[in-house]
Amino acid sequence: MSRYTRKTLLLEILMIAVGLAFAFPIYVLVNLSVRRAGDTSSPIAPTTSPTLANYADAWNAAGLAGALGNSIAVTAISLVVIILVSSLAAYPLARATARWSRWAFLLFALGLLLPAQLALIPLYQSVRDLGLLGTVWSLVLFYCGLQVPFSVFLYAGFLRAIPAQYEEAAAIDGCGPVRTFFSVVFPLLRPVTGTVAILNAIFIWNDFLTPLLYLSGSPQQTIPVAVFQFVGQYVADWQLVFAGLVISVVPILLVYFLMQKRIIQGFAGGLKG
Amino acid sequence: MKRLTLGASCVLVAGVALAGCSSTVTPPGSTGASSGSTIRLSAVASDKEAIEGTIAAFEKANPGVKVQATFADVDPYQSTLRTQLSSGTAPDVFFAWPGNGNAGAVEVLAPGGYMEDLSNRPWAAKIPEGLKQVTQVDGKTWITPTTFTGIGVIYNKKTLADVGGEVPTTWTGVLELCDAAKAKGKVAFALGNQTPWVTQLVDYALVATTVYANSPNFDADMAAGKATFAGSGWKTAMEKYLEMNKRGCFSKDPLGTSFESAVAQVGKGEAVGVVQVTAVATQIKEASPAGAELAMFALPATDNPDETRMPGAAGGAYAVNAKSPNKELALKFVDFLAEPANMNAYATVANAAPAIPNDSFTPDAAFQTLIDHQQAGKTATFMDQLWPNPKVQQVHLTGVQDLFSGKATPDEVLAEMDETYKSG
Amino acid sequence: MADTYEATAAPPATGTSTEAAPRARARRSRGRAPWWFMIPALILYAYVVLIPSVRGAGYAFTDWSGLGDAMSFVGLENFRKILDDSAATDALVQTVLITLAITIVQNLIGLLLALGVHTQIKSRNFLRVLLFAPAVMTPVVTAYLWRYMYAPDGAINGLFEAVGLGGLAQNWLGDPDIALWSVAAIVIWQFAGYSMVIFLAGLQGVPRELHEAAGVDGAGAFQRFWHITRPMLAPAITINLMLSLIGGFKIFDQVYVTTGGGPGHSTETLSTLIYKNAFQFDEYAYSTAIAVVLAVIVAAVSAVQYRGLQQQKGAA
C-alpha cells in the first residue's frame, strides 16, 4: 500500500477545492432552504438565523409522506426486477460468440437510442388496456421495460472484462447454467450491480412526466410529482420550493452513501485472481 | 451452500415482483376509473388554490361525493391532458383555455368531440357577450368560464411614492416614470423575458391601445385577410416596447431574468411594478413585505388617455369530458362552479373578477380599474385567443426574445407572424 | 433496496484451480450461457419500448395533429418539411454542439475526478459522495437551481463580484451567444460525478500492484495511466462515451426549464422542438418525424463510435 506522502497531501488539498466548487450550487440550495421568508440578503451570504420551518411547511403542503412510500415501493420493486432480468440477459450476450448474440446486443442497444417520445402514446394506451392506469404497477412495468437496455448494456460491458475461468470451473464441478449463474456469475457482478442499482434508482426516483401521466386522477403520487405540483403553486417562494427539493433528494443520496463503500470495496477482490 | 439459499431467495423475491410486472395482478384499493360518487378533475397549478376552495364547498354541499384532483404546471398539464384525451382516459372535469391559439384551448379540443356540449346549462345564457366568442365553437358553449382577468401594470404603491412618480395616463407619463425610477436606482417595470410566456405581455398591453382603439374589428379583418400584423399598430407597439427597453424602463438584462426574479424584484421594491395578468398579484404579495399595498393601472400607449385600452379576457375555464363515465356528477360540478357565490369565491382567490358578472361581487379596490375598463367597453381580448393556430403565439414569443437580443427587427418578427397566421 | 443488495452480495468465489481451464475450454460449446436467459428481458423491453416505438413511428407518415380521429397517410411529407424548417435545422446544429461539449468535457472531468479520488487521500469517501451528489438530483431540480444562480443578480455573478472579478459577470442565459454553453455547463456539473462513478468501477479492476510496480520502474504518472490504466478502463470509457453522447442528443429537461429553447431559438434542441410540436403546436405527426430523424442520427453516431472503440481495443 502506498504511503501518505506530501504529494498525496497536495492532491488532497486540490481535490477538496474541486469538491467545494462542485458543492457551491448545493450550498446555495441548502442555504436558501433554511432562510426565513422576507430575508432578502444575497443568496451566497450564509443565512444568519436559519430555520427548519420551510421543511415542515414543504412536507405538509406537498403531502410528501404518502408520496415517499410510493416512490420507495416503485423504485425498490423495479430495481429487483431490472437487476435480475438484465444480469441474466447480459450473461449470454457477453459470453456467447455466435452471430446472434451480437445482433441481440445491438437490439438492446437500440433501446438506448429511441427517443421516449416515439413510444409515449402507444405505450400509454397499452397500459390503459391492461387496466393499470392510476396504480403504481403501471410505473413498475414502465421502468422495468425502459431501463432493461441500459442495464443490460452496463452488465454486458463489465461482464466481458471478467475472465470466464470462474464459470468454467463451476461448470466442471457439474453445475447447470442456472446454478452457475446464481452462485458464480452474479456474485462476481456485485460491483456492477451496485452501479446498475444506483443509476437506475436515480432515474426512477426522479422521473416526473411518467408518474404525472400514469397516476393522474388517482390519489397516488410520487415524490417529484408532489414536489413539482408545489413548485407551480408557490413559484416565487424559493425558500419553500428549495426545501421541498432537498427533501426529495435526501433519500436517494443516503442510499448511495450507504452503498458506495460496498460498490468500491467489493470489486478488487473479485478480479485479482 | 448458504450462497445458494441466498440466491434462491432472491429469485423468489424477483419472481413475485415480476408477477407484478405482468398484467394479471390486480392491485388492491386503487382504480383509474371513476366510481359512482367520485369524479376526477385536473387543472393547472396556478389555479390550484382557487379550485380547491370550490371542491371543498362542493363536497360539503354533496355529502358522500369526492373530487379527486390532479394539478400540474402549464406545459406538463397540456401534454398529459392531450395524451389522456386521445386515449379516452381524461378526467371527468378538466381545465381548458378559452378561445384558440393554445394547445389546451377550447377551439382546439372541442372539434375532436372531447367536450360535452354545455349550451343548455342554466348559466350558459348568462355568459357576457364579450366572452361568447371565446367560450363557443360552432355556436355551442363548451366551457364554463370562471374568471375575467386583465393585463396591466401591477405596482406597489409605496415604491411608486418612493421614486416620486405617479400613475401615468399617457405614453409620455410612462417614460417619465421610467426616468424617475432610474434616478432613484430602481426600474419602473420588472421584466422576466427569459420565461417565454412573459415576453408577450407588454406587447399585448400596448397593442390593446395601438391596434384596437382605432380598429376594433382588427381580428375579423385579419381572419378575412384584410389586415396584417406588419401593417397595423402591432408595429408601433413593438417599437414602443423596444423604446422602453432602451430608455431603461425594464430590469437589467430582461432576457436573463425569469418570471420568478421579476416577481421578486417588485416584492423587494427594486422595481415599481410589472406588466402582468391580475392573478400574479397573489405571488407579488407573497414576495412582498407584510402589509404591502398593491394596485393596478392600464399601460398607456399614446398621449390621449381616452384611447387607452386594457387587455381583458376570460382566464381559466372548465370543460366536462364528453366520454366521462360519470357525466351527471361532472355536470353538477360545473353548474355548482357557475353559481355566483362559488364563482365569486374562485375569482377572489384567483385575483380576478367572475367571468359571469353578478351584483354580489365586490372587487378588490386595487383591481377596480379592470372592472371600470370592462364596464366602459375599453378592453380588448387577449390577442392569441383569436389566432387560428397555436404556432402564431410561439412565433411571437421567440420573436420578442430575438428583438431584445437584437437578432431581429419588428418588421421581421411581424412578417413571420403573418406568414404563420396564414398557414393555418 | 438495501435488503436486496444484502441478498445478492454473496462473497465472490475464490480459489479457482488453474489446471481446470483447458478442460473447460473444451466444454465451452455446451451452452454455459444459454440464450433463453434473455427471454424475460426481451419480453419486457419489447412490450414497453420496441413495439410502442415502432407503432409510434407510424405517426410520422401521417398528418395527425395529436387529437381527434382525423388522420391520413401523407408518405414522406413530414420529412420533407423538416428540411425547410429553419427551426429544425438550427436545432440539429445546436444539438450536435451541446452534445460534443458535454461528451468531451464531462468525461474528461469525470475521469480526472475518478483518478483523484482513487488514491490514498483521506477525504476520498467523502468526495465520492459529494461529487456524485449533483447526479442524484432530478435534472428539473438542478435546472431550477441553476436558473436561479444564473440570474443577472444571481449567485454566480454575485460570487464573481465578491472575489473582485465583477468584470466576468455575464447575462448567462439571456445572451444568445453564450446561453447554449451555460446550459451545457449545468449538464456537465450534474453528470461529471456520474461519469466518475463509472470510471471508478472500472478503476477497481486495475490491480494496485501493477501501478506500484510501474512506480518502482520509474514510469511517469501519465505513462502509467496510458499504458496500464487506460486499457483496463476500456469498458468504462465505452459506456461513458455512449451514455453522454446519447444523453446529449436527447437533452431536454435542462434546456426546457432554464431557457425553454430561447432566447429566440438559440438553445433549441431536437428534443425541445419535438416536445413543442407534439404538445403545443398541434403537430404530433411532424414531431414524430423529427423524433425518427433524431433516432437515426443517434444510431449512426453511436455505431461509428462503437466501431471505433472496438477497433481501438483490438489494437491496444
Side-chain angles (χ1 to χ4, degrees), chain C:
Chain C
M1 197 154 47
D3 286 345
T4 314
Y5 196 75
E6 222 48 78
T8 57
T14 46
T16 321
S17 46
T18 37
E19 67 274 23
R23 274 198 290 148
R25 211 159 291 133
R27 295 172 61 152
R28 177 166 290 175
S29 55
R30 282 254 187 115
R32 187 185 50 215
W35 64 272
W36 53 263
F37 272 22
M38 293 192 309
I39 289 179
L42 262 183
I43 290 176
L44 278 170
Y45 168 51
Y47 189 83
V48 173
V49 179
L50 271 186
I51 296 170
S53 293
V54 170
R55 281 171 60 199
Y59 290 120
F61 306 95
T62 70
D63 61 355
W64 193 48
S65 74
L67 284 174
D69 301 325
M71 190 190 326
S72 48
F73 181 76
V74 296
L76 296 174
E77 173 60 27
N78 285 321
F79 294 93
R80 202 192 51 75
K81 208 166 123 190
I82 294 176
L83 297 176
D84 298 337
D85 183 355
S86 70
T89 43
D90 286 356
L92 176 61
V93 172
Q94 283 148 10
T95 306
V96 170
L97 287 177
I98 200 169
T99 303
L100 281 176
I102 291 169
T103 306
I104 295 168
V105 182
Q106 177 192 315
N107 285 308
L108 207 61
I109 295 181
L111 179 60
L112 290 174
L113 293 179
L115 292 172
V117 298
H118 187 62
T119 55
Q120 295 301 306
I121 61 171
K122 294 203 163 64
S123 53
R124 60 182 183 273
N125 281 331
F126 172 71
L127 284 173
R128 278 167 187 166
V129 174
L130 181 70
L131 294 170
F132 185 70
V136 169
M137 303 190 198
T138 324
V140 184
V141 172
T142 54
Y144 268 102
L145 175 61
W146 278 83
R147 194 171 80 182
Y148 182 85
M149 305 225 320
Y150 274 145
D153 56 350
I156 304 253
N157 285 345
L159 190 66
F160 277 136
E161 269 150 36
V163 297
L165 292 169
L168 288 176
Q170 297 286 338
N171 186 6
W172 299 102
L173 293 170
D175 182 341
D177 295 327
I178 56 174
L180 191 68
W181 311 116
S182 301
V183 175
I186 302 176
V187 182
I188 293 165
W189 169 77
Q190 181 166 15
F191 292 109
Y194 196 102
S195 298
M196 174 192 80
V197 166
I198 295 177
F199 280 126
L200 269 179
L203 280 174
Q204 305 305 320
V206 186
R208 201 175 294 279
E209 292 85 341
L210 256 180
H211 264 287
E212 278 157 14
V216 173
D217 292 347
F222 181 77
Q223 280 181 320
R224 246 182 299 162
F225 168 75
W226 194 255
H227 294 292
I228 301 168
T229 314
R230 190 189 55 100
M232 298 294 286
L233 276 181
I237 294 173
T238 312
I239 289 170
N240 262 329
L241 285 183
M242 205 85 162
L243 291 179
S244 49
L245 261 181
I246 292 167
F249 272 109
K250 292 191 191 174
I251 182 168
F252 177 78
D253 291 329
Q254 293 89 346
V255 180
Y256 203 77
V257 173
T258 50
T259 65
H265 286 294
S266 60
T267 57
E268 201 82 79
T269 64
L270 288 176
S271 291
T272 59
L273 200 66
I274 289 170
Y275 184 85
K276 288 180 180 178
N277 273 292
F279 298 115
Q280 295 178 351
F281 297 171
D282 230 6
E283 301 243 23
Y284 196 88
Y286 179 56
S287 82
T288 314
I290 304 177
V292 170
V293 169
L294 173 61
V296 170
I297 293 171
V298 183
V301 172
S302 311
V304 169
Q305 192 232 356
Y306 186 69
R307 187 160 280 238
L309 280 167
Q310 295 296 89
Q311 275 165 1
Q312 201 192 357
K313 224 193 282 173

Side-chain angles (χ1 to χ4, degrees), chain B residues 170-197:
Chain B
T170 62
W171 173 246
T172 312
V174 171
L175 297 181
E176 281 168 8
L177 176 60
C178 294
D179 296 344
K182 217 171 147 187
K184 290 274 173 12
K186 298 174 189 285
V187 294
F189 309 108
L191 182 63
N193 271 358
Q194 181 185 83
T195 307
W197 65 267

Side-chain angles (χ1 to χ4, degrees), chain A residues 124 128 137 144 179 216-217 235, chain B residues 4 21 27 70 84 87 89 260:
Chain A
Y124 179 74
R128 171 199 64 192
W137 296 111
C144 289
R179 226 184 110 195
S216 172
V235 78
Chain B
L4 259 186
C21 261
T70 307
Q84 289 172 331
S87 305
T89 58
E260 296 83 6

